Amino acid sequence: MSNLEFLHACNASFSICLQKEASYYIDLAPARGENVVKRMRRAIALSPNKPTYQLLSGHIGSGKSTELLRLKFELEQQGFAVIYCAVDQHLQLHEVGLAELWLVILKLILQQLESKGDSISLTYLPNAIAEIEKWMRIIPSINITTSGQRLQRILQTLQDNGQNRRQLHRHMETRLTNLLIVAIEEVTGVAVDRIKQTGKKGLVILVDNLDRLSIEQSDQIFGKGSKYLRQFQCHTIYTLQLLAITHLSEQLQPKGTAPIVLPNLQLCDRNNVVNPESLNLLRQVVLARMLPNIAPELRLDQVTDCFENLETLDRLCLASRGHLPYLLSLLQGCLQSQDPPIRLELLNQVLDSDRTTRLSTIRDRDRQALHECVTSDYALTPETINLCRRLLLFAHHDNQGYWFSSPFI
């Protein structure tokens, strides 16, 4: 691989598509203690004709996007049509509300139907679109004719004008909600029928990156709006912010939709004893990015092509504390400075620089909070989530429950 290929594959934001990049993927279920992908897939496979609604949560960096893309691949192998929607590719996350989310999903479904060139006869969706266009004073264009194109123009107009978004949310409280609900039922019903006519088992929609929304947005979508998310006549999975599970417990539990939490890796136990199986899987995560064309069972034999020795690779893995994006960012930092094999001296320089940078962000209040987190019972709060995002605090779990650790205590 070239240096550019190394840097691309080791980028923490690089999402693995199993159809094209299966050699990069490592199944980490043994190190997590639970196979979440299998659990979600079985829920869908066991109910092919009745829509399912699932929520996926987990700490930032636990690998939710990667596992959703793996789920997409496995469901397609089983005969389902799957639409993967990374919301932040369509909307600014601070702009996401229930109405915008509906419009994005409807647009993606229509694009899939319209791309096949079939004529689509719809009644309720055109009425809803016309209502929104009239209210937003969008002038019809002869170049924009399909419903998918019209929805795209509405979404673009909403992004360009914050006042329009606020008015849309007020409009949702009156007439628009009912129009969109029947449109959603109509579009997903037609889509499922068309898909099954082609021999597919059904339609699955995976909506990612909603775990990055604020608590207020999560409450509006998954609390007050949860009953509306069930209007899709197909299988749906949404990511949800971990803190929102506690915040929305009363709304979620009675409906039998307890979120599935993707566990972090069990790299070390409470006494900081390393789990050999987890360490070996992390080794494979790194070596798969650097030696993708080598069989997994042979990669360790060629570790010196990538690192000075196995101990250097292990130091990298242990320094990450099992946080996958952090692991890859450290690796990328090394590759930006030196071609493989990576020397221990360079790795230590990257680790020292990273530690110094993170130390510079710690204030007295942070130190007190870190001490409380590692010495008290595990509790999710806005403060602990913030500390985890800043890589000052790391969450762990075992059969006895969850706990926090910090390299700065």
Side-chain angles (χ1 to χ4, degrees):
M1 292 177 70
S2 68
N3 289 347
L4 286 177
E5 289 174 317
F6 270 134
L7 288 174
H8 175 66
C10 297
N11 192 311
S13 63
F14 173 64
S15 296
I16 299 172
C17 174
L18 286 183
Q19 289 178 323
K20 302 176 182 178
E21 298 138 349
S23 58
Y24 290 121
Y25 181 78
I26 303 298
D27 184 2
L28 297 174
R32 298 187 190 279
E34 181 180 6
N35 192 329
V36 167
V37 170
K38 179 180 178 181
R39 180 177 169 184
M40 294 187 293
R41 174 172 50 77
R42 281 180 55 83
I44 293 170
L46 294 174
S47 181
N49 299 315
K50 183 178 180 180
T52 60
Y53 170 80
Q54 299 182 75
L55 300 174
L56 175 66
S57 189
H59 280 280
I60 297 296
S62 58
K64 295 183 291 298
S65 295
T66 298
E67 295 304 276
L68 281 179
L69 289 171
R70 175 188 165 192
L71 176 63
K72 177 179 184 295
F73 175 78
E74 293 187 0
L75 286 170
E76 288 172 340
Q77 294 292 101
Q78 289 193 348
F80 287 88
V82 184
I83 295 175
Y84 172 80
C85 170
V87 173
D88 57 341
Q89 294 181 5
H90 304 273
L91 294 167
Q92 296 294 322
L93 288 178
H94 70 273
E95 299 171 354
V96 177
L98 185 61
E100 291 86 356
L101 183 60
W102 277 351
L103 294 175
V104 167
I105 296 174
L106 283 171
K107 181 195 73 172
L108 293 175
I109 296 173
L110 286 170
Q111 284 179 344
Q112 185 174 79
L113 291 174
E114 293 168 354
S115 67
K116 302 183 183 301
D118 299 333
S119 60
I120 306 170
S121 178
L122 299 170
T123 301
Y124 298 108
L125 179 63
N127 291 341
I129 292 176
E131 173 81 12
I132 297 174
E133 289 176 333
K134 178 182 177 182
W135 163 73
M136 293 178 64
R137 299 180 181 178
I138 295 177
I139 301 174
S141 170
I142 60 173
N143 298 320
I144 300 177
T145 56
T146 68
S147 294
Q149 292 172 334
R150 293 168 70 185
L151 284 172
Q152 176 58 42
R153 184 168 62 161
I154 289 170
L155 285 165
Q156 187 60 55
T157 304
L158 287 171
Q159 289 190 78
D160 294 340
N161 191 317
Q163 182 63 25
N164 272 341
R165 290 194 304 275
R166 289 187 288 273
Q167 290 179 356
L168 174 66
H169 295 162
R170 288 196 292 270
H171 199 44
M172 284 283 292
E173 297 175 358
T174 55
R175 174 176 170 78
L176 188 55
T177 296
N178 290 333
L179 282 174
L180 280 174
I181 286 176
V182 293
I184 285 168
E185 293 174 343
E186 176 185 45
V187 171
T188 49
V190 169
V192 169
D193 287 343
R194 293 289 179 90
I195 285 169
K196 288 190 173 182
Q197 288 173 13
T198 66
K200 299 288 185 181
K201 293 181 179 179
L203 173 64
V204 184
I205 301 174
L206 310 176
V207 186
D208 198 6
N209 295 334
L210 294 178
D211 56 315
R212 303 178 190 178
L213 301 182
S214 68
I215 284 294
E216 292 73 22
Q217 288 173 296
S218 297
D219 179 58
Q220 193 250 340
I221 293 173
F222 296 105
K224 299 173 184 176
S226 64
K227 62 180 179 181
Y228 301 125
L229 294 179
R230 299 167 178 274
Q231 301 302 316
F232 291 91
Q233 302 302 299
C234 60
H235 304 284
T236 52
I237 297 178
Y238 303 88
T239 52
L240 173 69
Q241 183 187 155
L242 194 59
L243 187 59
I245 296 178
T246 303
H247 186 73
L248 300 173
S249 59
E250 293 184 4
Q251 293 98 318
L252 296 175
Q253 295 295 341
K255 300 178 175 63
T257 54
I260 299 169
V261 177
L262 182 65
N264 289 344
L265 305 188
Q266 300 176 9
L267 182 57
C268 297
D269 66 16
R270 294 170 188 259
N271 297 316
N272 209 33
V273 176
V274 177
N275 181 319
E277 183 177 20
S278 297
L279 176 59
N280 190 54
L281 286 172
L282 278 186
R283 291 169 176 166
Q284 289 292 330
V285 168
V286 174
L287 294 176
R289 303 296 177 110
M290 303 182 75
L291 302 170
N293 300 320
I294 304 298
E297 63 273 13
L298 300 178
R299 287 173 184 152
L300 278 177
D301 295 336
Q302 295 188 231
V303 68
T304 52
D305 291 343
C306 304
F307 293 88
E308 184 177 353
N309 47 45
L310 180 60
E311 289 72 21
T312 303
L313 171 57
D314 286 352
R315 173 150 173 71
L316 170 67
C317 294
L318 294 172
S320 75
R321 296 185 174 233
H323 190 286
L324 299 177
Y326 183 39
L327 171 68
L328 294 176
S329 69
L330 292 173
L331 175 59
Q332 189 177 44
C334 293
L335 292 173
Q336 287 172 338
S337 301
Q338 173 191 308
D339 292 340
I342 296 170
R343 293 178 288 107
L344 178 60
E345 180 183 4
L346 173 65
L347 174 59
N348 285 334
Q349 290 173 2
V350 170
L351 292 175
D352 288 343
S353 175
D354 172 77
R355 179 179 176 84
T356 299
T357 300
R358 287 188 288 147
L359 270 172
S360 68
T361 70
I362 298 178
R363 301 293 178 261
D364 290 342
R365 178 179 176 181
D366 294 326
R367 292 187 185 281
Q368 181 180 353
L370 288 171
H371 184 268
E372 291 176 356
C373 288
V374 299
T375 57
S376 305
D377 291 338
Y378 175 91
L380 279 177
T381 66
E383 193 161 38
T384 57
I385 293 292
N386 175 263
L387 292 171
C388 287
R389 286 179 183 270
R390 294 162 58 192
L391 299 178
L392 302 177
L393 189 69
F394 294 85
H396 313 279
H397 77 102
D398 57 18
N399 293 333
Q400 300 175 34
Y402 287 81
W403 76 93
F404 289 117
S405 72
S406 174
F408 301 104
I409 295 299

